[in-house]
Amino acid sequence: SQKIEQNSEALNIQEGKTATLTCNYTNYSPAYLQWYRQDPGRGPVFLLLIRENEKEKRKERLKVTFDTTLKQSLFHITASQPADSATYLCAHPPDYGQNFVFGPGTRLSVLP
Amino acid sequence: EPEVTQTPSHQVTQMGQEVILRCVPISNHLYFYWYRQILGQKVEFLVSFYNNEISEKSEIFDDQFSVERPDGSNFTLKIRSTKLEDSAMYFCASSEFSPGGSLSGELFFGEGSRLTVL
C-alpha cells in the first residue's frame, strides 16, 4: 500500500532562516500532493497543492516542489518566524477511492 | 469564511458506552470524512461518505463504527461500544470535489472532538 515518509519528526531552526521539509512517497505516483499545517490540538489546515506536472508552486513565504522522478516533495518556508512553529503534514490522494493518505508530519520549531 | 464545526470538543466516556460525535460540514460540499488521530501519531482515515452512503472505509472502521447524515446539514460518527483504544482526536472533514478527480479535493477539517475512554 502507499506510504508517505516525512524526513524528520522534528526540525529546529533559527528565526529568519529557511526551513525545508521533505515528503517521500512509495509505489504509485499521485496526481498531486498537498501540504497542511496542524497546530497542537487543532485540525489540519490546507496550505498548498502541487500537481504532478508542476515543478514548483509558491504562496507568499511558502514554496513547494514536486519531483516525480525522486518521488519527493520539498516544502520551504523562507524568512521563518516563531509563528510558523507547527506540525506540517504532507498528503496525497489515493490511487483510487477517497482515502487521503497523510504523512506522519514534521514538527517545526522556529527559535527567536 | 465557511468552516466545518464539530461537537463536542471533548467527551469523556466509560468503556462500553456509546458515543456520537457530530459535525456540520461546509454547506456546498459533497464529500464528507472522518479521520482519527491518536495522541502523537499520524492522521488516519476512517471513512468517506458521498451521496448519502459510505464510499470507502478503512480497516479501523469496524462494526462498532457507523456514520449517518440524518438531515441536510449534520454528519455523525457513532461508536457503539467504546474501547480504551478508541481514545483519540476525531476530525470531521469535507471537500467540494472528490480527491481522486481532476479537480483538487482540498480537505477542510473541523477542530476535532477529543474522545477519552476510561
Side-chain angles (χ1 to χ4, degrees), chain A residues 11-33:
Chain A
L11 180 66
N12 296 329
I13 63 165
Q14 211 63 40
E15 182 176 6
K17 300 291 186 186
T18 296
T20 298
L21 286 62
T22 305
C23 172
N24 292 291
Y25 57 91
T26 60
N27 300 334
Y28 74 88
S29 289
Y32 59 86
L33 285 168

Side-chain angles (χ1 to χ4, degrees), chain A residues 62-98:
Chain A
L62 309 180
K63 183 178 88 171
V64 174
T65 63
F66 192 178
D67 188 326
T68 54
T69 303
L70 294 177
K71 295 189 174 182
Q72 182 180 84
S73 174
L74 299 180
F75 176 82
H76 306 272
I77 305 176
T78 58
S80 58
Q81 304 164 359
D84 295 327
S85 298
T87 296
Y88 291 87
L89 311 175
C90 172
H92 70 66
D95 191 17
Y96 59 89
Q98 294 164 1

Side-chain angles (χ1 to χ4, degrees), chain B residues 5-95:
Chain B
T5 57
Q6 289 187 242
T7 54
S9 55
H10 189 192
Q11 178 148 3
V12 181
T13 190
Q14 293 291 325
M15 191 168 58
Q17 295 296 304
E18 176 182 284
V19 158
I20 297 177
L21 306 178
R22 291 182 168 80
C23 170
V24 179
I26 294 174
S27 60
N28 66 326
H29 285 185
L30 302 176
Y31 299 85
F32 315 116
Y33 315 84
W34 283 99
Y35 282 81
R36 179 182 85 173
Q37 188 173 34
I38 295 170
L39 188 63
Q41 297 187 25
K42 68 177 185 177
V43 175
E44 298 177 291
F45 171 80
L46 290 178
V47 66
S48 59
F49 194 87
Y50 169 72
N51 202 25
N52 283 319
E53 60 183 20
I54 291 174
S55 47
E56 190 173 345
K57 59 184 180 180
S58 71
E59 291 172 354
I60 303 169
F61 195 88
D62 62 23
D63 292 345
Q64 293 301 312
F65 290 87
S66 63
V67 289
E68 204 175 39
R69 187 155 162 84
D71 52 45
S73 59
N74 291 285
F75 180 49
T76 62
L77 174 70
K78 182 194 290 187
I79 309 175
R80 234 178 302 280
S81 177
T82 50
K83 302 189 281 283
L84 294 176
E85 53 265 37
D86 293 328
S87 295
M89 184 75 101
Y90 288 81
F91 292 108
C92 174
S94 68
S95 66

